[in-house]
C-alpha cells in the first residue's frame, strides 16, 4: 500500500463514518476529522504489510496539561476495504476515544474556570493589600503581605475549597474585608 492507496482508503472510509471528513495533504499523514474536535490519524504500518493503524488524537498541547489521558488506537487489515475499516473504527476505537475526548474537554473548561477565578481573586487581594508579594506557580498563586503588625499569606489553587489562608495579628475589620472579598469571588 502506497500513500495514494492510503489516502483513497481514508476518503472512502469517511463516507461510512457519520460526522467525519477526510483531511488529506500529500506528504502528511491522513486524518479523519470529526465533530467535537475528534481527529483520527491513519498510518501505514511499515513492518506489517496490508495493515493500518488508526489513532485518536487529542487537541494540540493537551497531553502536556493532562498527561494521564489514555491512548486510543487500533490496527486494521486494509485489504478488506473502506467499509470494513470504518466499521472497525466505529466499533473498536470511537466509543472510548469519544468518551475520553469529552472528558478531556470538560477538564480543560474546568481548569480554565479555576484559572480565571484564581486570577480574579488575586487581583482583588492585591488591590486590598498594598505591598503584597506575589509568587506564581503553574497550579497555584501565593500572596504574602504585611500591614504594620498584621501579616498573612494566601495560597490560591482556583477552587475556593482548595485555598489556604493564614492571617496573623490582623484587626477584625481587615479580617472581615478579606473574608468578604474571598466570599464574593468564590460565588
Amino acid at each position: 500500500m502506497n500513500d495514494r492507496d492510503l489516502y483513497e482508503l481514508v476518503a472512502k472510509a469517511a463516507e461510512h463514518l457519520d460526522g467525519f471528513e477526510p483531511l488529506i495533504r500529500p506528504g502528511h499523514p491522513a486524518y479523519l476529522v470529526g465533530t467535537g474536535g475528534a481527529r483520527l490519524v491513519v498510518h501505514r504500518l511499515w513492518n506489517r504489510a496490508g495493515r493500518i493503524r488508526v489513532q485518536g488524537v487529542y487537541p494540540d498541547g493537551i497531553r502536556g496539561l493532562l498527561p494521564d489521558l489514555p491512548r486510543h488506537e487500533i490496527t486494521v487489515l486494509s485489504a478488506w476495504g473502506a467499509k470494513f475499516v470504518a466499521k472497525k473504527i466505529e466499533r473498536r476505537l470511537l466509543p472510548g476515544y469519544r468518551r475520553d475526548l469529552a472528558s478531556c474537554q470538560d477538564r480543560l473548561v474546568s481548569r480554565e474556570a479555576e484559572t480565571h477565578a484564581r486570577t480574579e481573586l488575586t487581583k482583588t487581594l492585591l488591590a486590598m493589600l498594598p505591598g503584597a508579594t506575589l509568587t506564581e506557580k503553574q497550579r497555584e498563586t501565593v500572596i504574602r503581605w504585611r500591614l504594620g503588625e498584621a501579616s498573612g499569606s494566601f495560597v490560591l489553587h482556583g477552587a475556593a475549597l482548595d485555598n489556604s489562608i493564614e492571617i496573623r495579628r490582623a484587626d477584625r475589620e481587615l479580617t472581615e474585608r478579606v473574608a468578604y472579598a474571598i466570599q464574593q469571588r468564590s460565588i
Side-chain angles (χ1 to χ4, degrees):
M1 171 179 271
N2 59 30
D3 284 346
R4 191 180 80 232
D5 295 337
L6 178 68
Y7 296 157
E8 188 176 304
L9 177 71
V10 168
K12 287 180 181 177
E15 295 172 8
H16 300 286
L17 287 169
D18 287 338
F20 279 89
E21 295 289 327
L23 176 62
I24 298 170
R25 298 174 300 162
H28 295 277
Y31 284 90
L32 291 162
V33 181
T35 57
R39 287 186 311 152
L40 307 175
V41 63
V42 183
H43 298 280
R44 289 179 290 137
L45 292 175
W46 64 272
N47 60 348
R48 296 178 70 193
R51 292 195 76 79
I52 58 170
R53 173 181 289 132
V54 184
Q55 294 176 296
V57 181
Y58 296 105
D60 293 336
I62 297 301
R63 195 149 296 276
L65 293 173
L66 304 171
D68 61 333
L69 291 172
R71 294 190 183 277
H72 295 278
E73 69 180 43
I74 61 170
T75 62
V76 183
L77 189 61
S78 61
W80 288 8
K83 189 173 183 177
F84 175 79
V85 169
K87 187 188 299 186
K88 290 297 183 182
I89 290 170
E90 189 73 46
R91 193 177 303 148
R92 291 177 37 213
L93 179 70
L94 288 179
Y97 171 67
R98 282 183 173 148
R99 179 193 64 238
D100 290 339
L101 180 63
S103 172
C104 161
Q105 291 167 337
D106 290 346
R107 288 169 61 188
L108 284 177
V109 168
S110 174
R111 183 171 279 179
E112 287 174 9
E114 285 183 2
T115 300
H116 178 71
R118 185 172 80 193
T119 301
E120 290 300 312
L121 183 55
T122 299
K123 287 178 186 177
T124 300
L125 291 172
L126 288 175
M128 281 178 54
L129 303 165
T133 61
L134 176 71
T135 305
E136 285 281 347
K137 298 179 182 175
Q138 184 177 8
R139 296 188 183 220
E140 71 180 17
T141 301
V142 179
I143 300 171
R144 289 184 176 77
W145 56 274
R146 178 175 295 285
L147 288 172
E149 291 290 316
S151 64
S153 64
F154 301 92
V155 180
L156 309 174
H157 297 281
L161 299 175
D162 294 340
N163 297 330
S164 66
I165 301 169
E166 181 182 331
I167 301 175
R168 293 178 296 278
R169 295 188 184 183
D171 62 8
R172 182 181 179 111
E173 178 189 353
L174 177 62
T175 305
E176 287 175 351
R177 283 182 24 216
V178 169
Y180 180 76
I182 291 170
Q183 179 187 19
Q184 292 304 308
R185 290 296 179 190
S186 65
I187 292 176

PDB file of all heavy atoms in Angstrom, residues 137-171:
ATOM      1  N   LYS A 137       2.988  30.078  40.415  1.00  0.00           N
ATOM      2  CA  LYS A 137       3.439  28.760  40.015  1.00  0.00           C
ATOM      3  C   LYS A 137       2.425  28.234  39.017  1.00  0.00           C
ATOM      4  O   LYS A 137       1.393  28.866  38.790  1.00  0.00           O
ATOM      5  CB  LYS A 137       3.554  27.838  41.230  1.00  0.00           C
ATOM      6  CG  LYS A 137       4.568  28.314  42.251  1.00  0.00           C
ATOM      7  CD  LYS A 137       4.641  27.392  43.433  1.00  0.00           C
ATOM      8  CE  LYS A 137       5.629  27.925  44.461  1.00  0.00           C
ATOM      9  NZ  LYS A 137       5.635  27.120  45.669  1.00  0.00           N
ATOM     10  N   GLN A 138       2.705  27.090  38.431  1.00  0.00           N
ATOM     11  CA  GLN A 138       1.807  26.573  37.401  1.00  0.00           C
ATOM     12  C   GLN A 138       0.400  26.344  37.936  1.00  0.00           C
ATOM     13  O   GLN A 138      -0.581  26.672  37.293  1.00  0.00           O
ATOM     14  CB  GLN A 138       2.350  25.278  36.804  1.00  0.00           C
ATOM     15  CG  GLN A 138       1.486  24.754  35.666  1.00  0.00           C
ATOM     16  CD  GLN A 138       2.062  23.513  35.039  1.00  0.00           C
ATOM     17  OE1 GLN A 138       3.021  22.940  35.511  1.00  0.00           O
ATOM     18  NE2 GLN A 138       1.449  23.073  33.962  1.00  0.00           N
ATOM     19  N   ARG A 139       0.274  25.774  39.114  1.00  0.00           N
ATOM     20  CA  ARG A 139      -1.048  25.415  39.631  1.00  0.00           C
ATOM     21  C   ARG A 139      -1.459  26.154  40.890  1.00  0.00           C
ATOM     22  O   ARG A 139      -2.478  25.832  41.488  1.00  0.00           O
ATOM     23  CB  ARG A 139      -1.108  23.918  39.884  1.00  0.00           C
ATOM     24  CG  ARG A 139      -0.964  23.147  38.607  1.00  0.00           C
ATOM     25  CD  ARG A 139      -1.202  21.710  38.832  1.00  0.00           C
ATOM     26  NE  ARG A 139      -0.992  21.007  37.588  1.00  0.00           N
ATOM     27  CZ  ARG A 139      -1.727  20.025  37.172  1.00  0.00           C
ATOM     28  NH1 ARG A 139      -2.719  19.604  37.888  1.00  0.00           N
ATOM     29  NH2 ARG A 139      -1.466  19.438  36.030  1.00  0.00           N
ATOM     30  N   GLU A 140      -0.650  27.134  41.300  1.00  0.00           N
ATOM     31  CA  GLU A 140      -1.037  27.879  42.488  1.00  0.00           C
ATOM     32  C   GLU A 140      -0.438  29.275  42.460  1.00  0.00           C
ATOM     33  O   GLU A 140       0.543  29.524  41.765  1.00  0.00           O
ATOM     34  CB  GLU A 140      -0.644  27.153  43.769  1.00  0.00           C
ATOM     35  CG  GLU A 140       0.833  27.125  44.042  1.00  0.00           C
ATOM     36  CD  GLU A 140       1.185  26.382  45.321  1.00  0.00           C
ATOM     37  OE1 GLU A 140       0.359  25.614  45.844  1.00  0.00           O
ATOM     38  OE2 GLU A 140       2.301  26.586  45.805  1.00  0.00           O
ATOM     39  N   THR A 141      -1.070  30.146  43.213  1.00  0.00           N
ATOM     40  CA  THR A 141      -0.591  31.515  43.394  1.00  0.00           C
ATOM     41  C   THR A 141      -0.437  31.734  44.894  1.00  0.00           C
ATOM     42  O   THR A 141      -1.334  31.406  45.661  1.00  0.00           O
ATOM     43  CB  THR A 141      -1.605  32.527  42.822  1.00  0.00           C
ATOM     44  OG1 THR A 141      -1.792  32.244  41.436  1.00  0.00           O
ATOM     45  CG2 THR A 141      -1.123  33.945  42.993  1.00  0.00           C
ATOM     46  N   VAL A 142       0.699  32.277  45.299  1.00  0.00           N
ATOM     47  CA  VAL A 142       0.950  32.544  46.715  1.00  0.00           C
ATOM     48  C   VAL A 142       1.096  34.061  46.884  1.00  0.00           C
ATOM     49  O   VAL A 142       1.907  34.683  46.206  1.00  0.00           O
ATOM     50  CB  VAL A 142       2.229  31.832  47.218  1.00  0.00           C
ATOM     51  CG1 VAL A 142       2.477  32.147  48.690  1.00  0.00           C
ATOM     52  CG2 VAL A 142       2.128  30.332  46.986  1.00  0.00           C
ATOM     53  N   ILE A 143       0.288  34.614  47.789  1.00  0.00           N
ATOM     54  CA  ILE A 143       0.345  36.040  48.100  1.00  0.00           C
ATOM     55  C   ILE A 143       0.745  36.169  49.567  1.00  0.00           C
ATOM     56  O   ILE A 143       0.101  35.599  50.441  1.00  0.00           O
ATOM     57  CB  ILE A 143      -1.029  36.716  47.872  1.00  0.00           C
ATOM     58  CG1 ILE A 143      -1.462  36.558  46.418  1.00  0.00           C
ATOM     59  CG2 ILE A 143      -0.974  38.183  48.278  1.00  0.00           C
ATOM     60  CD1 ILE A 143      -2.889  36.999  46.163  1.00  0.00           C
ATOM     61  N   ARG A 144       1.821  36.925  49.810  1.00  0.00           N
ATOM     62  CA  ARG A 144       2.260  37.196  51.182  1.00  0.00           C
ATOM     63  C   ARG A 144       2.147  38.703  51.411  1.00  0.00           C
ATOM     64  O   ARG A 144       2.491  39.489  50.522  1.00  0.00           O
ATOM     65  CB  ARG A 144       3.698  36.737  51.383  1.00  0.00           C
ATOM     66  CG  ARG A 144       3.825  35.232  51.405  1.00  0.00           C
ATOM     67  CD  ARG A 144       5.261  34.789  51.696  1.00  0.00           C
ATOM     68  NE  ARG A 144       5.356  33.367  51.798  1.00  0.00           N
ATOM     69  CZ  ARG A 144       5.354  32.522  50.765  1.00  0.00           C
ATOM     70  NH1 ARG A 144       5.275  32.978  49.547  1.00  0.00           N
ATOM     71  NH2 ARG A 144       5.454  31.220  50.955  1.00  0.00           N
ATOM     72  N   TRP A 145       1.706  39.090  52.589  1.00  0.00           N
ATOM     73  CA  TRP A 145       1.500  40.505  52.847  1.00  0.00           C
ATOM     74  C   TRP A 145       1.806  40.854  54.294  1.00  0.00           C
ATOM     75  O   TRP A 145       1.840  39.994  55.156  1.00  0.00           O
ATOM     76  CB  TRP A 145       0.060  40.905  52.495  1.00  0.00           C
ATOM     77  CG  TRP A 145      -0.973  40.091  53.230  1.00  0.00           C
ATOM     78  CD1 TRP A 145      -1.476  38.895  52.854  1.00  0.00           C
ATOM     79  CD2 TRP A 145      -1.575  40.394  54.484  1.00  0.00           C
ATOM     80  NE1 TRP A 145      -2.370  38.439  53.788  1.00  0.00           N
ATOM     81  CE2 TRP A 145      -2.462  39.349  54.793  1.00  0.00           C
ATOM     82  CE3 TRP A 145      -1.469  41.460  55.372  1.00  0.00           C
ATOM     83  CZ2 TRP A 145      -3.223  39.344  55.949  1.00  0.00           C
ATOM     84  CZ3 TRP A 145      -2.232  41.453  56.519  1.00  0.00           C
ATOM     85  CH2 TRP A 145      -3.102  40.396  56.806  1.00  0.00           C
ATOM     86  N   ARG A 146       2.034  42.136  54.496  1.00  0.00           N
ATOM     87  CA  ARG A 146       2.284  42.669  55.838  1.00  0.00           C
ATOM     88  C   ARG A 146       1.741  44.089  55.875  1.00  0.00           C
ATOM     89  O   ARG A 146       2.042  44.895  55.009  1.00  0.00           O
ATOM     90  CB  ARG A 146       3.779  42.673  56.150  1.00  0.00           C
ATOM     91  CG  ARG A 146       4.118  43.254  57.515  1.00  0.00           C
ATOM     92  CD  ARG A 146       5.588  43.131  57.857  1.00  0.00           C
ATOM     93  NE  ARG A 146       6.029  41.762  58.000  1.00  0.00           N
ATOM     94  CZ  ARG A 146       5.773  40.958  59.049  1.00  0.00           C
ATOM     95  NH1 ARG A 146       5.071  41.408  60.052  1.00  0.00           N
ATOM     96  NH2 ARG A 146       6.242  39.741  59.090  1.00  0.00           N
ATOM     97  N   LEU A 147       0.929  44.362  56.884  1.00  0.00           N
ATOM     98  CA  LEU A 147       0.407  45.707  57.141  1.00  0.00           C
ATOM     99  C   LEU A 147       0.637  45.999  58.620  1.00  0.00           C
ATOM    100  O   LEU A 147      -0.105  45.510  59.468  1.00  0.00           O
ATOM    101  CB  LEU A 147      -1.093  45.797  56.834  1.00  0.00           C
ATOM    102  CG  LEU A 147      -1.517  45.762  55.372  1.00  0.00           C
ATOM    103  CD1 LEU A 147      -3.026  45.667  55.248  1.00  0.00           C
ATOM    104  CD2 LEU A 147      -1.011  46.991  54.651  1.00  0.00           C
ATOM    105  N   GLY A 148       1.664  46.745  58.908  1.00  0.00           N
ATOM    106  CA  GLY A 148       2.005  47.011  60.312  1.00  0.00           C
ATOM    107  C   GLY A 148       2.331  45.704  61.009  1.00  0.00           C
ATOM    108  O   GLY A 148       3.212  44.972  60.610  1.00  0.00           O
ATOM    109  N   GLU A 149       1.597  45.414  62.091  1.00  0.00           N
ATOM    110  CA  GLU A 149       1.800  44.174  62.838  1.00  0.00           C
ATOM    111  C   GLU A 149       1.114  42.978  62.176  1.00  0.00           C
ATOM    112  O   GLU A 149       1.481  41.839  62.406  1.00  0.00           O
ATOM    113  CB  GLU A 149       1.253  44.336  64.267  1.00  0.00           C
ATOM    114  CG  GLU A 149       2.030  45.287  65.135  1.00  0.00           C
ATOM    115  CD  GLU A 149       3.389  44.707  65.502  1.00  0.00           C
ATOM    116  OE1 GLU A 149       3.473  43.519  65.856  1.00  0.00           O
ATOM    117  OE2 GLU A 149       4.378  45.452  65.421  1.00  0.00           O
ATOM    118  N   ALA A 150       0.110  43.254  61.364  1.00  0.00           N
ATOM    119  CA  ALA A 150      -0.659  42.167  60.732  1.00  0.00           C
ATOM    120  C   ALA A 150       0.116  41.616  59.532  1.00  0.00           C
ATOM    121  O   ALA A 150       0.786  42.336  58.803  1.00  0.00           O
ATOM    122  CB  ALA A 150      -2.015  42.681  60.276  1.00  0.00           C
ATOM    123  N   SER A 151       0.002  40.321  59.352  1.00  0.00           N
ATOM    124  CA  SER A 151       0.628  39.689  58.192  1.00  0.00           C
ATOM    125  C   SER A 151      -0.167  38.432  57.853  1.00  0.00           C
ATOM    126  O   SER A 151      -1.020  37.991  58.617  1.00  0.00           O
ATOM    127  CB  SER A 151       2.083  39.324  58.495  1.00  0.00           C
ATOM    128  OG  SER A 151       2.138  38.350  59.527  1.00  0.00           O
ATOM    129  N   GLY A 152       0.126  37.903  56.707  1.00  0.00           N
ATOM    130  CA  GLY A 152      -0.580  36.692  56.333  1.00  0.00           C
ATOM    131  C   GLY A 152      -0.144  36.191  54.977  1.00  0.00           C
ATOM    132  O   GLY A 152       0.705  36.783  54.309  1.00  0.00           O
ATOM    133  N   SER A 153      -0.739  35.078  54.598  1.00  0.00           N
ATOM    134  CA  SER A 153      -0.453  34.512  53.277  1.00  0.00           C
ATOM    135  C   SER A 153      -1.715  33.831  52.759  1.00  0.00           C
ATOM    136  O   SER A 153      -2.563  33.374  53.530  1.00  0.00           O
ATOM    137  CB  SER A 153       0.700  33.516  53.353  1.00  0.00           C
ATOM    138  OG  SER A 153       0.343  32.412  54.154  1.00  0.00           O
ATOM    139  N   PHE A 154      -1.806  33.799  51.451  1.00  0.00           N
ATOM    140  CA  PHE A 154      -2.891  33.124  50.755  1.00  0.00           C
ATOM    141  C   PHE A 154      -2.258  32.193  49.738  1.00  0.00           C
ATOM    142  O   PHE A 154      -1.370  32.606  48.988  1.00  0.00           O
ATOM    143  CB  PHE A 154      -3.781  34.118  50.004  1.00  0.00           C
ATOM    144  CG  PHE A 154      -4.399  35.160  50.882  1.00  0.00           C
ATOM    145  CD1 PHE A 154      -3.778  36.379  51.080  1.00  0.00           C
ATOM    146  CD2 PHE A 154      -5.599  34.919  51.509  1.00  0.00           C
ATOM    147  CE1 PHE A 154      -4.341  37.337  51.885  1.00  0.00           C
ATOM    148  CE2 PHE A 154      -6.178  35.871  52.322  1.00  0.00           C
ATOM    149  CZ  PHE A 154      -5.545  37.090  52.514  1.00  0.00           C
ATOM    150  N   VAL A 155      -2.697  30.962  49.714  1.00  0.00           N
ATOM    151  CA  VAL A 155      -2.279  30.018  48.687  1.00  0.00           C
ATOM    152  C   VAL A 155      -3.537  29.684  47.894  1.00  0.00           C
ATOM    153  O   VAL A 155      -4.464  29.067  48.422  1.00  0.00           O
ATOM    154  CB  VAL A 155      -1.646  28.737  49.286  1.00  0.00           C
ATOM    155  CG1 VAL A 155      -1.219  27.793  48.180  1.00  0.00           C
ATOM    156  CG2 VAL A 155      -0.468  29.104  50.171  1.00  0.00           C
ATOM    157  N   LEU A 156      -3.593  30.146  46.653  1.00  0.00           N
ATOM    158  CA  LEU A 156      -4.780  30.024  45.824  1.00  0.00           C
ATOM    159  C   LEU A 156      -4.563  28.959  44.756  1.00  0.00           C
ATOM    160  O   LEU A 156      -3.599  29.013  44.009  1.00  0.00           O
ATOM    161  CB  LEU A 156      -5.100  31.365  45.157  1.00  0.00           C
ATOM    162  CG  LEU A 156      -5.163  32.576  46.090  1.00  0.00           C
ATOM    163  CD1 LEU A 156      -5.343  33.846  45.284  1.00  0.00           C
ATOM    164  CD2 LEU A 156      -6.268  32.408  47.100  1.00  0.00           C
ATOM    165  N   HIS A 157      -5.504  28.024  44.711  1.00  0.00           N
ATOM    166  CA  HIS A 157      -5.451  26.953  43.711  1.00  0.00           C
ATOM    167  C   HIS A 157      -6.537  27.080  42.660  1.00  0.00           C
ATOM    168  O   HIS A 157      -6.572  26.317  41.722  1.00  0.00           O
ATOM    169  CB  HIS A 157      -5.588  25.581  44.384  1.00  0.00           C
ATOM    170  CG  HIS A 157      -4.478  25.275  45.316  1.00  0.00           C
ATOM    171  ND1 HIS A 157      -3.249  24.840  44.903  1.00  0.00           N
ATOM    172  CD2 HIS A 157      -4.406  25.374  46.669  1.00  0.00           C
ATOM    173  CE1 HIS A 157      -2.467  24.669  45.955  1.00  0.00           C
ATOM    174  NE2 HIS A 157      -3.139  24.982  47.030  1.00  0.00           N
ATOM    175  N   GLY A 158      -7.456  27.995  42.823  1.00  0.00           N
ATOM    176  CA  GLY A 158      -8.549  28.156  41.861  1.00  0.00           C
ATOM    177  C   GLY A 158      -9.884  27.830  42.477  1.00  0.00           C
ATOM    178  O   GLY A 158     -10.773  28.655  42.505  1.00  0.00           O
ATOM    179  N   ALA A 159     -10.054  26.634  42.957  1.00  0.00           N
ATOM    180  CA  ALA A 159     -11.318  26.264  43.596  1.00  0.00           C
ATOM    181  C   ALA A 159     -11.297  26.782  45.027  1.00  0.00           C
ATOM    182  O   ALA A 159     -10.308  26.632  45.736  1.00  0.00           O
ATOM    183  CB  ALA A 159     -11.504  24.753  43.571  1.00  0.00           C
ATOM    184  N   ALA A 160     -12.381  27.405  45.456  1.00  0.00           N
ATOM    185  CA  ALA A 160     -12.424  28.031  46.777  1.00  0.00           C
ATOM    186  C   ALA A 160     -12.123  27.051  47.896  1.00  0.00           C
ATOM    187  O   ALA A 160     -11.523  27.400  48.902  1.00  0.00           O
ATOM    188  CB  ALA A 160     -13.790  28.677  47.004  1.00  0.00           C
ATOM    189  N   LEU A 161     -12.511  25.787  47.733  1.00  0.00           N
ATOM    190  CA  LEU A 161     -12.295  24.791  48.781  1.00  0.00           C
ATOM    191  C   LEU A 161     -10.836  24.369  48.913  1.00  0.00           C
ATOM    192  O   LEU A 161     -10.445  23.820  49.924  1.00  0.00           O
ATOM    193  CB  LEU A 161     -13.170  23.564  48.515  1.00  0.00           C
ATOM    194  CG  LEU A 161     -14.670  23.814  48.502  1.00  0.00           C
ATOM    195  CD1 LEU A 161     -15.406  22.544  48.101  1.00  0.00           C
ATOM    196  CD2 LEU A 161     -15.143  24.314  49.847  1.00  0.00           C
ATOM    197  N   ASP A 162     -10.038  24.626  47.894  1.00  0.00           N
ATOM    198  CA  ASP A 162      -8.645  24.205  47.914  1.00  0.00           C
ATOM    199  C   ASP A 162      -7.700  25.285  48.431  1.00  0.00           C
ATOM    200  O   ASP A 162      -6.518  25.037  48.592  1.00  0.00           O
ATOM    201  CB  ASP A 162      -8.181  23.812  46.503  1.00  0.00           C
ATOM    202  CG  ASP A 162      -8.884  22.586  45.987  1.00  0.00           C
ATOM    203  OD1 ASP A 162      -9.420  21.831  46.808  1.00  0.00           O
ATOM    204  OD2 ASP A 162      -8.884  22.382  44.769  1.00  0.00           O
ATOM    205  N   ASN A 163      -8.187  26.482  48.644  1.00  0.00           N
ATOM    206  CA  ASN A 163      -7.324  27.590  49.028  1.00  0.00           C
ATOM    207  C   ASN A 163      -7.003  27.531  50.515  1.00  0.00           C
ATOM    208  O   ASN A 163      -7.800  27.068  51.315  1.00  0.00           O
ATOM    209  CB  ASN A 163      -8.002  28.925  48.702  1.00  0.00           C
ATOM    210  CG  ASN A 163      -8.221  29.083  47.213  1.00  0.00           C
ATOM    211  OD1 ASN A 163      -7.461  28.559  46.418  1.00  0.00           O
ATOM    212  ND2 ASN A 163      -9.262  29.799  46.847  1.00  0.00           N
ATOM    213  N   SER A 164      -5.822  28.021  50.864  1.00  0.00           N
ATOM    214  CA  SER A 164      -5.481  28.125  52.279  1.00  0.00           C
ATOM    215  C   SER A 164      -5.192  29.588  52.604  1.00  0.00           C
ATOM    216  O   SER A 164      -4.630  30.315  51.791  1.00  0.00           O
ATOM    217  CB  SER A 164      -4.281  27.240  52.624  1.00  0.00           C
ATOM    218  OG  SER A 164      -3.126  27.698  51.979  1.00  0.00           O
ATOM    219  N   ILE A 165      -5.599  29.984  53.783  1.00  0.00           N
ATOM    220  CA  ILE A 165      -5.463  31.375  54.221  1.00  0.00           C
ATOM    221  C   ILE A 165      -4.838  31.368  55.609  1.00  0.00           C
ATOM    222  O   ILE A 165      -5.248  30.601  56.477  1.00  0.00           O
ATOM    223  CB  ILE A 165      -6.836  32.071  54.291  1.00  0.00           C
ATOM    224  CG1 ILE A 165      -7.510  32.043  52.927  1.00  0.00           C
ATOM    225  CG2 ILE A 165      -6.701  33.491  54.820  1.00  0.00           C
ATOM    226  CD1 ILE A 165      -8.960  32.475  52.966  1.00  0.00           C
ATOM    227  N   GLU A 166      -3.879  32.230  55.797  1.00  0.00           N
ATOM    228  CA  GLU A 166      -3.271  32.392  57.111  1.00  0.00           C
ATOM    229  C   GLU A 166      -3.187  33.890  57.387  1.00  0.00           C
ATOM    230  O   GLU A 166      -2.595  34.630  56.603  1.00  0.00           O
ATOM    231  CB  GLU A 166      -1.877  31.772  57.134  1.00  0.00           C
ATOM    232  CG  GLU A 166      -1.203  31.872  58.472  1.00  0.00           C
ATOM    233  CD  GLU A 166       0.204  31.283  58.441  1.00  0.00           C
ATOM    234  OE1 GLU A 166       0.445  30.370  57.637  1.00  0.00           O
ATOM    235  OE2 GLU A 166       1.035  31.768  59.219  1.00  0.00           O
ATOM    236  N   ILE A 167      -3.795  34.326  58.466  1.00  0.00           N
ATOM    237  CA  ILE A 167      -3.767  35.740  58.857  1.00  0.00           C
ATOM    238  C   ILE A 167      -3.290  35.804  60.303  1.00  0.00           C
ATOM    239  O   ILE A 167      -3.828  35.134  61.173  1.00  0.00           O
ATOM    240  CB  ILE A 167      -5.166  36.396  58.718  1.00  0.00           C
ATOM    241  CG1 ILE A 167      -5.661  36.303  57.274  1.00  0.00           C
ATOM    242  CG2 ILE A 167      -5.118  37.844  59.195  1.00  0.00           C
ATOM    243  CD1 ILE A 167      -7.076  36.808  57.072  1.00  0.00           C
ATOM    244  N   ARG A 168      -2.280  36.655  60.538  1.00  0.00           N
ATOM    245  CA  ARG A 168      -1.721  36.797  61.885  1.00  0.00           C
ATOM    246  C   ARG A 168      -1.825  38.258  62.333  1.00  0.00           C
ATOM    247  O   ARG A 168      -1.504  39.166  61.563  1.00  0.00           O
ATOM    248  CB  ARG A 168      -0.258  36.368  61.886  1.00  0.00           C
ATOM    249  CG  ARG A 168      -0.050  34.891  61.624  1.00  0.00           C
ATOM    250  CD  ARG A 168       1.422  34.516  61.584  1.00  0.00           C
ATOM    251  NE  ARG A 168       2.167  35.136  60.498  1.00  0.00           N
ATOM    252  CZ  ARG A 168       2.195  34.699  59.246  1.00  0.00           C
ATOM    253  NH1 ARG A 168       1.510  33.641  58.905  1.00  0.00           N
ATOM    254  NH2 ARG A 168       2.906  35.322  58.329  1.00  0.00           N
ATOM    255  N   ARG A 169      -2.296  38.443  63.547  1.00  0.00           N
ATOM    256  CA  ARG A 169      -2.350  39.755  64.221  1.00  0.00           C
ATOM    257  C   ARG A 169      -3.100  40.817  63.409  1.00  0.00           C
ATOM    258  O   ARG A 169      -2.715  41.981  63.409  1.00  0.00           O
ATOM    259  CB  ARG A 169      -0.943  40.252  64.515  1.00  0.00           C
ATOM    260  CG  ARG A 169      -0.222  39.389  65.503  1.00  0.00           C
ATOM    261  CD  ARG A 169       1.053  40.021  65.894  1.00  0.00           C
ATOM    262  NE  ARG A 169       1.767  39.114  66.768  1.00  0.00           N
ATOM    263  CZ  ARG A 169       2.901  39.405  67.332  1.00  0.00           C
ATOM    264  NH1 ARG A 169       3.473  40.564  67.114  1.00  0.00           N
ATOM    265  NH2 ARG A 169       3.488  38.542  68.111  1.00  0.00           N
ATOM    266  N   ALA A 170      -4.123  40.429  62.716  1.00  0.00           N
ATOM    267  CA  ALA A 170      -4.923  41.400  61.962  1.00  0.00           C
ATOM    268  C   ALA A 170      -6.110  41.831  62.815  1.00  0.00           C
ATOM    269  O   ALA A 170      -6.640  41.052  63.606  1.00  0.00           O
ATOM    270  CB  ALA A 170      -5.418  40.780  60.663  1.00  0.00           C
ATOM    271  N   ASP A 171      -6.528  43.077  62.640  1.00  0.00           N
ATOM    272  CA  ASP A 171      -7.719  43.527  63.359  1.00  0.00           C
ATOM    273  C   ASP A 171      -8.970  42.944  62.700  1.00  0.00           C
ATOM    274  O   ASP A 171      -8.931  42.394  61.605  1.00  0.00           O
ATOM    275  CB  ASP A 171      -7.775  45.060  63.443  1.00  0.00           C
ATOM    276  CG  ASP A 171      -7.872  45.721  62.078  1.00  0.00           C
ATOM    277  OD1 ASP A 171      -8.046  45.011  61.072  1.00  0.00           O
ATOM    278  OD2 ASP A 171      -7.768  46.951  62.029  1.00  0.00           O
TER     279      ASP A 171
END
